[in-house]
Amino acid sequence: SLSLVLLISYKEQSLLIPGDITPEAFELIYNGKCEKRFTDYSISQGGRKKKDWARSTCDQPILKNLLKNGLTVLLAPHHGLESGYPKFLFDDLGEKKPKLIVLSDKQHNSGNSGSTHANYQNGIASSGLIHKGEKRLSLSTVKDGHIKIIFYDSSCFTDSSKDLEDLLK
């Protein structure tokens, strides 16, 4: 259950990247039942305290508290597979569930390649975001190609392209 979990926030927007984490390990991290090592440079502190705070874990907030206002984008854990679905997260977030789920998946062309969890595409796990003029609950690297997410002021924009060069223009 080793995985980096990264939360990036900009104003009211946030992106959570839990990697290949299992739901059990993810729940421990979410509820603060593990050692935390991260830095929040938005907290006003003296120079020495800030440096010490970034190296300690005693007064750092837990992920659950950081997400109390909701989540803009979630990169689905474990590539969106059923075995990695964090039901606890969506139960806890309720109406503040992610606006968009990004599935970094692959073509499922054999019986043993796993299945994407249906809740990522049926509205249980996300509330939807306009993507290229259409409301989408999730974006998939298989269907949509390369996915770009832009946080600007209080808005979140997405773009996607099968051709990476077009997307980066």
Side-chain angles (χ1 to χ4, degrees):
S1 292
L2 182 62
S3 182
L4 292 176
V5 176
L6 178 64
L7 175 66
I8 300 171
S9 60
Y10 177 76
K11 296 187 179 183
E12 299 88 35
Q13 308 298 318
S14 57
L15 167 68
L16 181 61
I17 305 171
D20 248 356
I21 200 162
T22 64
E24 298 79 15
F26 191 11
E27 190 168 14
L28 291 173
I29 291 170
Y30 182 76
N31 289 310
K33 306 281 187 202
C34 63
E35 184 174 351
K36 304 176 293 286
R37 296 280 182 186
F38 67 94
T39 303
D40 182 346
Y41 289 110
S42 68
I43 295 175
S44 297
Q45 300 179 38
R48 182 71 188 146
K49 169 113 169 105
K50 186 180 255 186
K51 185 181 274 188
D52 291 343
W53 186 85
R55 293 185 181 132
S56 67
T57 62
C58 60
D59 64 347
Q60 294 182 10
I62 63 173
L63 184 57
K64 179 176 185 168
N65 291 343
L66 292 171
L67 297 178
K68 69 179 181 275
N69 294 323
L71 181 60
T72 309
V73 180
L74 171 68
L75 181 63
H78 200 56
H79 308 284
L81 293 175
E82 290 175 334
S83 61
Y85 184 75
K87 183 178 182 314
F88 75 90
L89 179 68
F90 303 110
D91 289 347
D92 193 59
L93 290 175
E95 292 301 313
K96 295 180 180 178
K97 63 189 172 187
K99 292 179 184 169
L100 184 70
I101 305 291
V102 174
L103 303 164
S104 174
D105 57 356
K106 63 178 185 172
Q107 293 284 351
H108 300 279
N109 50 15
S110 70
N112 63 354
S113 63
S115 298
T116 302
H117 200 288
N119 287 357
Y120 289 129
Q121 290 128 348
N122 66 13
I124 290 175
S126 65
S127 59
L129 193 65
I130 300 299
H131 175 75
K132 295 186 173 184
E134 170 189 11
K135 184 173 181 179
R136 296 282 298 275
L137 301 170
S138 64
L139 296 176
S140 159
T141 54
V142 169
K143 181 178 179 185
D144 301 295
H146 301 282
I147 299 164
K148 178 170 69 172
I149 298 168
I150 302 165
F151 292 148
Y152 180 77
D153 279 339
S154 60
S155 300
C156 177
F157 302 98
T158 61
D159 196 0
S160 62
S161 173
K162 295 287 184 180
D163 186 359
L164 184 60
E165 288 74 28
D166 287 344
L167 185 61
L168 296 176
K169 289 181 183 175

